[in-house]
Amino acid sequence: RRDFVANVSHELRTPVAIILAQSETLLDGALDDEEMAQKFLSSMHRQAERVTSLINDLLDLARIEAGQRELEREDVSIAAAARRAADGLASKAKKRDLRLEIDVSSEQTAFVNASALEQVLVNLLENAIKYTNEGTAIVLKAQPDGKKRLRLEVWDEGPGIPTELQNRVFERFYRVDKGRSRDLGGTGLGLAIVKHLVGQMGGRVGVDAREPNGAIFWFTV
Ligand code: ADP
């Protein structure tokens, strides 16, 4: 808990310090320089967005970890959940010239909480969009895992995760490339949320290397 509080404070301190410094500069006269004002305001806006994402992720995580209520489950169509997740991310994918392919048959269903499944898919697809190389394809696949489970996989063509870090990326605030994650608006909490939600539905998560490059993030339902 002590580590966690230290991490959260550290994550909040940087954007708040930037907002403070830039607003002071503006108040001290930079407001009259239109170009400078524009630059500082858009930077402050970006930093405020960062704080907002962090707070939202922290609240999600706290709610999930408190386990206040059991996730209600029902039979959910994987293809439909994937479609909803992908539709919400279409403009982000387009900006990086990425194709989102859903390779799931319409009969595949899972006994899950529909919004938790969607959040897991959004977090994994959003990461793939952030970290993969422009102009490539991101593919979601579903295949049987043993008799009763399905394994959902997100294939990307990004830098992948070094073998020795494959467990660590699911820890809160763990990032492979800190600078890149922050530049892309990452909070370092997305995969921790994925792990919790999947665990609450009785599944497992992991990541494998893709050859010649890329990651395959997977979970079972
Ligand atoms: P973040 O908000 O930083 O993306 P996550 O918990 O979602 O936080 O991911 C943790 C770290 O794992 C990221 O900072 C990144 O270094 C790495 N990562 C996650 N997904 C991918 C991916 N698809 N390809 C490469 N690296 C990834």
Side-chain angles (χ1 to χ4, degrees), residues 159-212:
I161 309 287
T163 320
E164 66 279 13
L165 302 179
Q166 285 174 351
N167 283 326
R168 301 216 62 193
V169 288
F170 291 93
E171 291 173 15
R172 295 182 293 207
F173 295 120
Y174 193 85
R175 294 160 164 123
V176 178
D177 182 339
K178 287 198 179 56
R180 181 144 191 218
S181 161
R182 294 218 175 90
D183 289 348
L184 297 170
T187 61
L189 294 174
L191 290 177
I193 291 173
V194 165
K195 188 174 178 182
H196 270 292
L197 288 175
V198 172
Q200 280 195 351
M201 296 189 287
R204 294 178 302 123
V205 295
V207 55
D208 296 330
R210 175 181 186 180
E211 294 302 333

Side-chain angles (χ1 to χ4, degrees), residues 38-56:
Q38 182 72 35
K39 193 174 133 210
F40 280 9
L41 273 175
S42 61
S43 159
M44 287 162 65
H45 183 252
R46 210 167 43 243
Q47 299 304 329
E49 276 180 339
R50 214 172 121 186
V51 175
T52 308
S53 324
L54 190 63
I55 290 171
N56 287 339

